[in-house]
C-alpha cells in the first residue's frame, strides 16, 4: 500500500481486486479564473486547482518542479490560515506516481520483483549487445558507437511508449525494408533476451507491467495538470490505475508576445541579465522565468552575466538570487574533473590539457604550479610537440627535471607510485575497482588539504554516489580492465547532474519543458531562431519513418514539432502577465531568422551596444591613464654580456623585431612549442644538415663525385642518410617511433639524390670546410657562428654555402634590416668571394646567391642589377661595406637596449610573444 493522502492508491489481496470498475470518466475541462475570489499569490495560483483538491482528486503534473510549486503554495496557504496541522496536498509528478504504483504492486505481490535498470545500466547493456552483434555480424560500421547506443535506447523507449507490437507481422516487415532498422531489430531481440535472463526492467517495462495489475477497489481520481503531450503507454497506465481521469488545460488568457531581435547571442543574453537585475531591483518579490531554448549552450554565459549584474562574483558567489533548473554534469565540476584526471595518469597516455589541469589543481597536495622546475618541465614537453603525453616519459622527466640545486617534482613521485600499483595489468569487477580508484586518489591527497566550499562538498558527495552506481554494474560488465573501468566511471559522472542545493528563488532559469505550467509575473524566452523553435524534425534512424509518423512519435515530423512548440508557447503565455520572446540575428557569423511562431507579432530590432560591465565603466571613469611610450631597455652591461649566447640569431631577431630580440635573448622568454605529429621542420632540417655533412666528408670534391658510378653514389647517399638518422637524439626517437624515421630516411635519400644532380652540373670545386665554428666580433658584440660549408673554386676563390630546406630569397639579405643576416655575417667573418643559399627542396633544388665569381648557376655576379630594388651598391666590395654598416648598427642597437615593437612584415607569424608585446593593440584601444 502506498499512501497518497486523500485519493491514495491501494493494492489489496481481497476478492474485489479482480472486479472491473463500475465506471470511468474522462473529460477535458478549463476552469476560468475569477479575479474577485482569487487566492492567487506570487508563488502559485491554486484557484483553478482548489475544486479538484476539495473533491478528493490526485493532481498529476508533467514535472517535479510544478508539483513542488503546488505543494509549497498549499503549505503556505495553510500556514497563513493559522493551521499547525493539515492534510498534505495530493499532488505528484506523473513519473513519480507511476514509480510509486509499481513499487506498491511489487510489495503486494501483484508484480514479479525485478531489478530496475538505471539509465547508465541500460546504456551499458546496449553497449554489450551492440558489441556482441558487431562481432557476430561484422557487415556494418558505426562511426560513433556511443551515439548508436543512445539512439537504440531511445528507439526502444519510443516503441514501448507508443505501444507498438514488435511481434506483429506487419511491423516486422517494415523493419526489414531498411538496413539500419533491420540491424536495430536484431539488436532489440538480443536486448530483450538479455534483460529477461538478468531479471531486469527499464522504466517503460515497469509501466507495461502496471497494465497487468488487476485494478483494486479503491482507485484514485486523478487530474492531469498542464500536460501538452502524453504517450499512449502512460495514458493507458493512468486510465488503468484511476477511477476517473480529468485533464485540466492551461489557465485562460494569453499574454501578448513582445518580440525582440538582437545583433548576436551575447547581446541577447546581456539584455536578459540587465532586465532581470532591473526587475529584481524594482520588486524583490517578483517572479521571473527565463527560458533558454539552448540550455546547454547558453546556461554558462548567462550565469556569468547574471552574476555580474547582481554583483555575485568572488566572495559574494552564493548571493545570486537566481535558481537554475539544471546544473552541470558531474564530470565538469572542477573537483571531480581533477579526480578523473588523476585516475587517467594510471593509463598509458595523458592529454597535455589534463597535465596542465593537474599542475594548477588545488585539489591535490602537489602545489608546484609556480615552481621553476614545473616551467622547465612544461617547456620540455611542449618542445616534444606531443598532445598525448607518454606517461613513462612524463614520469621520467618529472622526476629528473632540475633547476639549480633542486631536482624532481612531487608530481613525479605521485606518478611513480601510481605506476607501482600496476593497474594496467588488472581485470576486476567494478565494485572491486572502487578500492583501487580510492587508493589512487589517496596518493594524490584528493580532494586536497584546503577546505571545500558548500558546492564542492556537495559535488564530492555526488562523486561517492557515482561510485556506488559504478559498483552496481558488476552483473552487466563482469570483469573489466582499467581502461574500460575508467570509461564506465566517466559515463557515471556524465550521467549525473551536479545541481547546487539552493533556496527557491523568484528568478528561475529553465529549459522549455521544465517551465510547463509554472506561473510567473514575466517570462523571457531566449533563442527563438527559426531553426530551433519549433525544432527541426529528428526522426530516429532505427525506426521506419512511416511507423514513427503513424504513431506520432517524438521528433518524427515537422508538423509534430510545430504543434508541440506552439502548445508549449501557449502554456507560457497563459502562465504569465508579460511574455518577451527574443532571437539573435546572427550566430557564429551566419545570419538567422526569427521563429515562425513570432510572425504574427511586431518585431523590435535592438541595435548592438558596447557590452562593458557598468562596474568596469565606473572604475575606468574614476581612474586616470598614464601613458609612457618607452622603447629603450637598459644597456647590456659587461656582466650581462658574458651570459648572452647566440650567433646570427641575435641579429636576425633584432632585424625582424627589436623587442623580440630583447625578450628572447635578454629576458630569455620563449613561446611554448606547438603540437605536431612526427618530426618537426627543425628536426628534418637538422637531419638534412647531418646527412650532407657526412656525404661531403666522404666525397670531398667534384672530381670524386664525378668518379662515382650510379650504384656507388646511391650507396654513399644511403650511408649518409643512415648516419644522420642514427644521430637523431634518443628522446626524439622515442617520441616519433622507428616507422617515422624509416619514412624520413627514404624521403632524405630521394631529396639528396635530387640535390646531387645539381652539384654534378657545377664547375670543378673542392669542399674545404664543413660546419666550421667561427668566433666573430661585430662592434662590441661577440657572435658564435657555424658555417654549413665552404667551397673552393678552380680559380682559388671561395663561396660560403648555407643549406636551406625551406624557400629562400635574396631580398632577405638586403636592406637596413635584413630578415636573414646569417650569410652576410659569414661573408664579413670569412674572406670569401661569394655567398649562396643551397635550397634543398623536393623538385625545387637550386643555388641562390651573390658574389664576384662566374659560372655558378643561381649565383649572380652582376651586383648592381641583383640588388637595385634594395640598394645602390655597384659591386661586391661596396655590398660588403653596406652589410658591415647595417649589421653593425643592428649589433649596436641590441647592446644599447633598443627594444621597439617594430616587426617586419610576416615577422609575427612564428613569434609567439604577441601576448607580451601587444602588437595587435593600438594606442586608441588602450585609451
Amino acid at each position: 500500500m502506498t499512501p497518497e493522502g486523500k485519493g491514495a492508491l491501494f493494492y489489496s489481496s481481497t476478492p474485489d481486486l479482480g472486479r472491473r470498475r463500475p465506471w470511468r470518466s474522462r473529460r477535458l475541462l478549463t476552469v476560468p479564473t475569477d479575479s474577485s475570489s482569487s487566492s492567487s499569490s506570487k508563488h502559485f495560483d491554486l484557484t483553478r486547482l482548489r475544486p479538484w483538491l476539495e473533491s478528493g482528486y490526485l493532481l498529476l503534473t508533467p514535472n517535479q518542479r510544478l508539483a513542488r510549486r503546488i505543494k509549497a503554495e498549499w503549505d503556505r496557504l495553510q500556514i497563513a490560515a493559522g493551521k499547525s496541522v493539515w492534510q498534505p496536498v495530493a499532488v505528484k509528478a506523473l513519473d513519480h506516481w507511476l514509480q510509486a504504483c509499481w513499487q506498491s504492486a511489487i510489495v503486494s505481490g501483484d508484480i514479479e520483483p525485478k531489478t530496475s535498470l538505471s539509465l547508465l545500466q541500460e546504456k551499458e547493456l546496449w553497449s554489450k549487445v551492440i558489441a556482441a552483434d558487431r562481432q557476430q555480424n561484422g557487415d556494418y560500421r558505426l562511426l560513433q558507437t556511443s551515439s548508436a547506443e543512445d539512439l537504440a535506447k531511445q528507439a526502444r523507449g519510443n516503441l514501448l511508449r507508443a505501444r507498438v507490437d514488435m511481434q506483429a507481422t506487419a511491423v516486422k516487415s517494415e523493419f526489414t525494408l531498411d538496413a539500419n532498422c533491420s540491424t536495430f531489430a536484431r539488436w532489440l531481440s538480443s536486448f530483450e533476451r538479455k534483460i529477461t535472463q538478468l531479471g531486469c526492467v527499464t522504466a517503460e517495462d515497469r509501466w507495461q507491467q502496471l497494465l497487468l495489475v488487476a485494478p483494486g477497489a479503491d482507485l484514485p481520481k486523478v487530474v492531469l495538470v498542464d500536460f501538452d503531450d502524453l504517450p499512449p503507454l502512460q495514458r493507458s497506465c493512468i486510465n488503468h490505475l484511476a477511477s476517473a481521469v480529468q485533464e485540466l488545460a492551461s489557465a485562460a488568457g494569453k499574454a501578448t508576445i513582445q518580440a525582440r531581435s538582437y545583433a548576436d547571442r551575447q547581446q541577447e543574453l546581456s539584455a536578459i541579465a540587465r532586465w532581470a537585475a532591473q526587475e529584481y531591483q524594482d520588486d524583490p518579490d517578483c517572479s521571473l522565468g527565463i527560458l533558454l531554448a539552448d540550455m546547454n549552450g547558453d546556461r554558462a554565459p548567462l550565469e556569468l552575466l547574471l552574476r555580474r549584474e547582481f554583483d555575485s562574483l568572488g566572495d559574494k558567489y552564493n548571493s545570486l538570487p537566481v535558481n537554475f533548473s539544471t546544473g552541470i554534469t558531474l564530470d565538469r565540476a572542477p573537483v571531480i574533473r581533477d579526480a578523473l584526471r588523476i585516475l587517467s595518469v594510471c593509463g598509458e597516455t595523458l592529454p597535455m590539457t589534463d597535465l596542465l589541469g593537474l599542475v594548477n589543481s588545488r585539489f591535490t597536495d602537489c602545489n608546484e604550479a609556480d615552481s621553476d622546475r614545473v616551467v622547465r618541465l612544461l617547456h620540455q614537453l611542449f618542445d616534444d610537440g606531443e598532445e598525448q603525453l607518454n606517461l613513462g616519459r612524463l614520469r621520467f622527466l618529472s622526476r629528473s627535471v632540475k633547476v639549480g640545486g633542486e631536482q624532481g617534482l612531487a608530481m613525479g613521485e605521485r606518478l611513480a607510485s601510481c605506476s607501482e600499483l600496476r593497474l594496467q595489468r588488472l581485470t576486476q569487477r567494478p565494485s572491486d575497482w572502487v578500492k583501487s580508484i580510492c587508493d589512487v586518489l589517496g596518493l594524490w591527497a584528493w580532494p586536497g588539504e584546503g577546505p571545500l566550499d558548500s558546492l564542492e562538498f556537495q559535488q564530492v558527495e555526488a562523486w561517492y554516489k557515482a561510485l556506488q552506481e559504478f559498483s552496481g554494474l558488476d552483473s552487466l560488465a563482469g570483469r573489466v580492465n582499467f581502461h574500460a573501468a575508467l570509461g564506465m566511471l566517466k559515463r557515471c559522472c556524465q550521467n549525473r547532474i551536479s545541481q547546487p542545493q539552493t533556496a527557491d528563488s523568484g528568478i528561475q532559469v529553465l529549459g522549455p519543458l521544465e517551465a510547463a505550467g509554472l506561473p510567473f509575473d514575466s517570462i523571457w524566452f531566449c533563442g527563438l531562431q527559426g531553426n530551433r523553435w519549433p525544432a527541426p524534425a529528428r526522426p530516429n534512424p532505427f525506426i521506419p519513418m512511416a511507423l514513427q509518423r503513424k504513431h506520432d512519435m517524438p521528433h518524427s515530423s515537422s508538423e509534430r514539432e510545430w504543434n508541440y512548440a506552439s502548445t508549449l508557447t501557449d502554456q507560457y503565455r497563459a502562465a504569465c502577465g508579460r511574455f518577451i520572446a527574443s532571437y539573435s540575428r546572427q550566430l557564429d557569423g551566419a545570419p538567422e531568422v526569427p521563429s515562425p511562431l513570432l510572425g504574427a507579432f511586431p518585431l523590435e530590432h535592438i541595435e548592438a551596444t558596447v557590452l562593458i560591465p557598468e562596474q568596469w565603466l565606473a572604475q575606468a571613469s574614476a581612474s586616470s591613464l598614464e601613458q609612457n611610450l618607452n622603447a629603450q631597455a637598459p644597456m647590456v652591461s659587461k656582466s650581462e654580456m658574458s651570459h648572452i649566447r647566440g650567433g646570427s640569431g641575435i641579429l636576425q631577431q633584432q632585424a625582424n623585431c627589436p623587442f623580440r630580440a630583447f625578450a628572447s635573448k635578454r629576458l630569455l622568454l620563449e613561446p611554448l612549442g606547438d603540437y605536431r605529429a612526427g618530426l618537426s621542420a627543425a628536426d628534418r632540417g637538422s637531419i638534412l644538415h647531418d646527412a650532407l655533412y657526412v656525404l661531403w666528408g666522404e666525397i670531398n670534391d667534384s672530381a670524386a663525385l664525378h668518379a662515382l658510378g650510379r650504384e656507388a653514389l646511391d650507396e654513399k647517399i644511403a650511408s649518409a642518410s643512415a648516419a644522420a638518422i642514427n644521430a637523431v637524439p634518443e628522446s626524439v626517437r622515442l617520441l616519433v617511433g622507428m616507422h617515422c624515421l624509416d619514412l624520413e630516411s627514404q624521403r632524405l635519400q630521394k631529396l639528396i639524390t635530387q640535390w646531387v644532380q645539381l652539384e654534378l652540373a657545377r664547375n670543378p670545386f673542392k669542399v674545404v670546410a664543413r660546419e666550421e665554428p667561427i668566433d666573430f666580433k661585430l662592434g662590441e658584440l661577440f657572435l658564435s657562428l657555424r658555417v654549413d660549408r665552404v667551397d673552393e673554386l678552380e680559380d682559388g676563390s671561395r663561396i660560403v654555402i648555407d643549406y636551406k630546406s625551406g624557400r629562400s630569397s635574396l631580398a632577405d639579405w638586403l636592406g637596413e634590416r635584413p630578415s636573414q643576416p646569417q650569410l652576410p655575417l659569414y661573408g664579413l667573418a670569412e674572406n670569401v668571394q661569394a655567398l649562396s643559399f643551397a635550397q634543398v627542396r623536393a623538385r625545387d633544388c637550386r643555388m641562390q646567391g651573390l658574389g664576384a665569381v662566374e659560372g655558378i648557376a643561381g649565383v649572380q655576379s652582376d651586383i648592381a642589377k641583383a640588388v637595385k630594388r634594395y640598394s645602390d651598391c655597384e659591386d661586391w666590395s661596396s655590398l660588403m661595406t653596406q652589410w658591415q654598416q647595417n649589421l653593425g648598427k643592428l649589433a649596436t642597437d641590441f647592446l644599447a637596449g633598443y627594444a621597439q615593437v617594430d616587426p617586419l612584415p610576416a615577422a609575427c607569424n612564428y613569434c609567439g610573444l604577441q601576448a607580451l608585446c601587444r602588437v595587435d593593440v593600438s594606442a586608441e584601444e588602450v585609451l
Side-chain angles (χ1 to χ4, degrees):
M1 183 176 69
T2 302
E4 298 282 357
K6 209 166 186 178
L9 175 64
F10 293 88
Y11 287 92
S12 171
S13 58
T14 62
D16 290 339
L17 182 64
R19 295 182 182 176
R20 296 182 62 85
R21 283 168 290 204
W23 58 272
R24 175 184 298 163
S25 64
R26 179 179 179 275
R27 296 193 301 273
L28 182 65
L29 301 176
T30 301
V31 180
T33 301
D34 184 359
S35 59
S36 61
S37 60
S38 172
S39 60
S40 63
S41 70
K42 288 285 184 182
H43 298 270
F44 198 89
D45 185 2
L46 290 181
T47 303
R48 64 193 183 105
L49 302 180
R50 189 180 293 276
W52 308 107
L53 292 172
E54 294 174 350
S55 300
Y57 277 80
L58 170 65
L59 305 183
L60 296 180
T61 63
N63 54 60
Q64 182 65 12
R65 183 175 289 270
L66 178 56
R68 286 199 302 265
R69 289 287 296 273
I70 293 173
K71 181 182 182 302
E73 178 60 14
W74 175 267
D75 293 343
R76 192 190 69 81
L77 291 176
Q78 306 309 308
I79 294 173
K83 296 182 180 179
S84 57
V85 178
W86 59 88
Q87 183 74 23
V89 64
V91 59
K92 276 187 174 291
L94 175 58
D95 285 349
H96 288 214
W97 179 67
L98 292 176
Q99 175 71 12
C101 293
W102 183 76
Q103 291 174 343
S104 296
I106 293 288
V107 172
S108 63
D110 295 320
I111 294 177
E112 178 186 355
K114 290 188 177 183
T115 303
S116 182
L117 291 176
S118 67
L119 294 178
L120 177 65
Q121 290 173 326
E122 186 177 353
K123 184 172 180 179
E124 291 298 327
L125 187 54
W126 274 112
S127 176
K128 295 183 75 70
V129 165
I130 294 174
D133 186 81
R134 291 180 67 186
Q135 188 173 4
Q136 185 176 357
N137 304 282
D139 57 345
Y140 60 89
R141 290 185 178 182
L142 297 174
L143 295 179
Q144 294 183 337
T145 304
S146 178
S147 297
E149 295 163 3
D150 292 334
L151 288 170
K153 175 182 173 297
Q154 180 195 83
R156 181 178 184 269
N158 288 349
L159 290 168
L160 291 176
R161 284 191 291 271
R163 305 199 68 185
V164 176
D165 183 6
M166 286 297 294
Q167 302 306 315
T169 304
V171 173
K172 285 184 176 180
S173 63
E174 286 193 65
F175 275 82
T176 60
L177 299 177
D178 180 85
N180 289 334
C181 298
S182 61
T183 299
F184 168 73
R186 194 169 61 240
W187 295 350
L188 182 60
S189 298
S190 299
F191 185 87
E192 300 294 351
R193 287 194 299 271
K194 281 282 187 183
I195 61 173
T196 301
Q197 293 169 5
L198 295 171
C200 300
V201 291
T202 65
E204 291 80 11
D205 295 322
R206 295 197 297 267
W207 310 159
Q208 282 196 320
Q209 285 183 306
L210 286 175
L211 296 176
L212 303 177
V213 176
D218 189 11
L219 297 177
K221 299 179 292 182
V222 302
V223 175
L224 305 179
V225 181
D226 290 336
F227 278 84
D228 58 273
D229 186 24
L230 198 57
L233 178 58
Q234 289 177 305
R235 186 174 293 281
S236 298
C237 287
I238 296 170
N239 291 336
H240 187 71
L241 299 172
S243 61
V245 180
Q246 307 286 352
E247 290 194 41
L248 188 60
S250 301
K254 288 186 178 180
T256 301
I257 294 181
Q258 300 177 24
R260 300 177 181 176
S261 73
Y262 290 86
D264 54 36
R265 185 52 53 83
Q266 184 72 8
Q267 295 276 340
E268 185 179 4
L269 295 177
S270 296
I272 293 173
R274 291 193 299 270
W275 168 78
Q278 186 61 52
E279 293 287 321
Y280 184 80
Q281 181 178 351
D282 295 342
D283 181 9
D285 293 328
C286 65
S287 175
L288 306 179
I290 300 173
L291 312 188
L292 301 180
D294 181 12
M295 176 64 83
N296 290 334
D298 293 340
R299 182 197 185 282
L302 177 61
E303 180 177 359
L304 175 60
L305 292 168
L306 286 169
R307 290 190 179 281
R308 283 180 177 172
E309 292 294 333
F310 283 94
D311 192 21
S312 297
L313 292 168
D315 295 337
K316 303 176 182 179
Y317 191 85
N318 294 322
S319 65
L320 182 67
V322 179
N323 182 271
F324 290 84
S325 65
T326 59
I328 59 174
T329 56
L330 188 59
D331 65 307
R332 293 173 55 197
V335 63
I336 308 305
R337 177 198 59 205
D338 287 356
L340 295 173
R341 285 171 171 168
I342 291 171
L343 295 174
S344 296
V345 306
C346 297
E348 296 179 354
T349 61
L350 183 72
M352 176 65 83
T353 52
D354 284 358
L355 175 65
L356 295 175
L358 286 177
V359 165
N360 291 285
S361 175
R362 62 183 181 86
F363 302 111
T364 73
D365 62 350
C366 301
N367 302 316
E368 302 170 308
D370 297 329
S371 167
D372 291 339
R373 285 162 293 154
V374 167
V375 175
R376 176 71 59 83
L377 172 67
L378 293 178
H379 265 288
Q380 192 162 359
L381 292 173
F382 272 97
D383 287 343
D384 289 346
E386 293 289 304
E387 190 171 3
Q388 293 289 332
L389 305 176
N390 180 282
L391 278 162
R393 177 167 172 77
L394 178 60
R395 284 193 297 270
F396 170 76
L397 292 178
S398 58
R399 298 180 74 181
S400 60
V401 63
K402 186 174 182 180
V403 176
E406 297 182 330
Q407 178 174 335
L409 296 167
M411 181 178 65
E413 300 303 320
R414 306 295 182 275
L415 292 171
S417 298
C418 290
S419 177
E420 291 170 1
L421 294 177
R422 301 291 190 269
L423 297 186
Q424 288 287 330
R425 302 180 181 181
L426 298 180
T427 56
Q428 305 180 104
R429 295 177 301 174
S431 58
D432 297 325
W433 274 114
V434 171
K435 181 181 182 303
S436 300
I437 288 169
C438 293
D439 289 343
V440 172
L441 295 178
L443 291 173
W444 292 74
W446 181 88
E449 301 173 350
L452 301 176
D453 62 28
S454 174
L455 177 58
E456 291 165 349
F457 183 81
Q458 295 173 38
Q459 290 166 345
V460 171
E461 283 189 324
W463 163 260
Y464 289 113
K465 291 178 181 177
L467 286 180
Q468 291 178 350
E469 184 180 16
F470 172 68
S471 299
L473 297 174
D474 282 2
S475 59
L476 296 178
R479 299 176 66 86
V480 295
N481 59 27
F482 175 75
H483 178 75
L486 182 58
M488 280 188 264
L489 180 57
K490 287 180 178 179
R491 289 193 290 275
C492 285
C493 295
Q494 290 165 358
N495 289 337
R496 187 173 289 273
I497 298 297
S498 170
Q499 177 69 4
Q501 299 173 9
T502 57
D504 200 10
S505 170
I507 306 175
Q508 299 198 39
V509 179
L510 308 155
L513 281 176
E514 298 152 335
L518 296 178
F520 295 98
D521 295 335
S522 299
I523 290 179
W524 189 317
F525 199 172
C526 161
L528 295 190
Q529 279 72 239
N531 61 357
R532 183 169 289 278
W533 193 260
R538 290 178 287 110
N540 191 295
F542 293 146
I543 304 177
M545 183 70 69
L547 193 64
Q548 294 188 63
R549 292 188 174 181
K550 175 182 177 182
H551 293 276
D552 200 27
M553 292 184 184
H555 315 299
S556 59
S557 67
S558 298
E559 294 81 5
R560 189 187 194 283
E561 294 301 310
W562 173 274
N563 293 332
Y564 179 74
S566 59
T567 300
L568 277 179
T569 303
D570 289 342
Q571 282 193 15
Y572 305 149
R573 295 172 61 190
C576 67
R578 182 187 182 196
F579 187 84
I580 303 173
S582 63
Y583 86 101
S584 301
R585 297 189 292 272
Q586 189 178 82
L587 287 179
D588 298 327
E592 297 286 345
V593 297
S595 166
L597 291 172
L598 303 181
F601 303 92
L603 186 63
E604 180 183 2
H605 288 265
I606 309 298
E607 297 302 324
T609 57
V610 179
L611 299 178
I612 301 178
E614 292 185 2
Q615 299 93 326
W616 295 7
L617 290 174
Q619 292 179 5
S621 61
S623 63
S624 59
L625 180 64
E626 180 179 346
Q627 187 175 8
N628 182 12
L629 301 178
N630 185 359
Q632 185 62 46
M635 295 178 60
V636 177
S637 63
K638 291 184 178 180
S639 60
E640 185 182 2
M641 180 77 75
S642 62
H643 293 92
I644 292 178
R645 294 288 183 269
S648 61
I650 295 177
L651 297 189
Q652 182 173 347
Q653 292 189 8
Q654 185 72 22
N656 279 276
C657 178
F659 179 82
R660 183 178 178 185
F662 169 71
S664 176
K665 299 302 180 181
R666 299 185 63 185
L667 301 183
L668 304 181
L669 299 177
E670 291 294 337
L672 296 174
D674 295 324
Y675 299 133
R676 63 181 185 274
L679 294 166
S680 67
D683 291 333
R684 290 195 296 270
S686 296
I687 294 173
L688 174 64
H689 276 68
D690 291 343
L692 291 171
Y693 175 84
V694 173
L695 180 66
W696 288 109
E698 295 183 4
I699 298 177
N700 199 35
D701 57 30
S702 58
L705 178 63
H706 282 278
L708 293 172
R710 178 61 182 270
E711 292 184 2
L713 180 59
D714 288 344
E715 289 180 5
K716 293 285 187 184
I717 293 174
S719 176
S721 299
I725 294 295
N726 291 334
V728 172
E730 185 66 22
S731 59
V732 177
R733 304 171 76 86
L734 291 173
L735 286 172
V736 302
M738 289 307 301
H739 291 299
C740 178
L741 293 177
D742 289 342
L743 291 173
E744 180 62 19
S745 178
Q746 297 173 27
R747 186 193 74 87
L748 188 59
Q749 291 180 49
K750 294 178 181 178
L751 181 59
I752 294 178
T753 299
Q754 293 179 33
W755 173 252
V756 168
Q757 299 306 311
L758 185 145
E759 298 271 27
L760 285 168
R762 288 179 56 190
N763 292 332
F765 64 89
K766 179 181 180 181
V767 179
V768 296
R770 296 172 297 130
E771 300 290 341
E772 180 182 8
I774 303 173
D775 291 329
F776 179 60
K777 184 179 181 182
L778 185 61
E780 298 298 321
L781 181 63
F782 291 91
L783 300 173
S784 298
L785 308 176
R786 184 174 294 274
V787 178
D788 289 346
R789 177 174 148 192
V790 179
D791 285 4
E792 185 175 278
L793 308 182
E794 278 187 305
D795 60 359
S797 59
R798 292 191 173 190
I799 177 173
V800 172
I801 295 176
D802 189 48
Y803 297 126
K804 288 292 181 184
S805 56
R807 297 191 183 279
S808 56
S809 171
L810 292 180
D812 297 335
W813 305 0
L814 305 172
E816 294 183 358
R817 293 166 58 185
S819 61
Q820 294 191 25
Q822 58 266 46
L823 271 177
L825 271 175
Y826 298 158
L828 295 177
E830 294 280 311
N831 183 22
V832 295
Q833 287 70 46
L835 305 170
S836 178
F837 280 135
Q839 182 173 295
V840 188
R841 288 174 56 86
R843 297 177 297 278
D844 190 22
C845 291
R846 67 177 68 179
M847 299 277 283
Q848 197 165 27
L850 296 170
V853 297
E854 302 287 346
I856 302 179
V859 178
Q860 302 182 50
S861 58
D862 188 346
I863 303 299
K865 180 180 179 181
V867 304
K868 64 180 181 179
R869 291 180 58 189
Y870 311 97
S871 172
D872 56 359
C873 294
E874 296 292 334
D875 53 25
W876 179 250
S877 176
S878 61
L879 182 60
M880 294 291 289
T881 301
Q882 188 177 81
W883 277 339
Q884 179 75 44
Q885 295 171 353
N886 292 341
L887 297 181
K889 183 176 186 306
L890 290 175
T892 301
D893 287 348
F894 175 78
L895 294 174
Y898 178 67
Q900 178 70 42
V901 179
D902 183 20
L904 294 177
C908 297
N909 291 353
Y910 304 100
C911 173
L913 298 178
Q914 289 87 341
L916 181 64
C917 71
R918 309 296 299 278
V919 65
D920 297 323
V921 180
S922 65
E924 290 77 11
E925 290 177 290
V926 173
L927 294 172

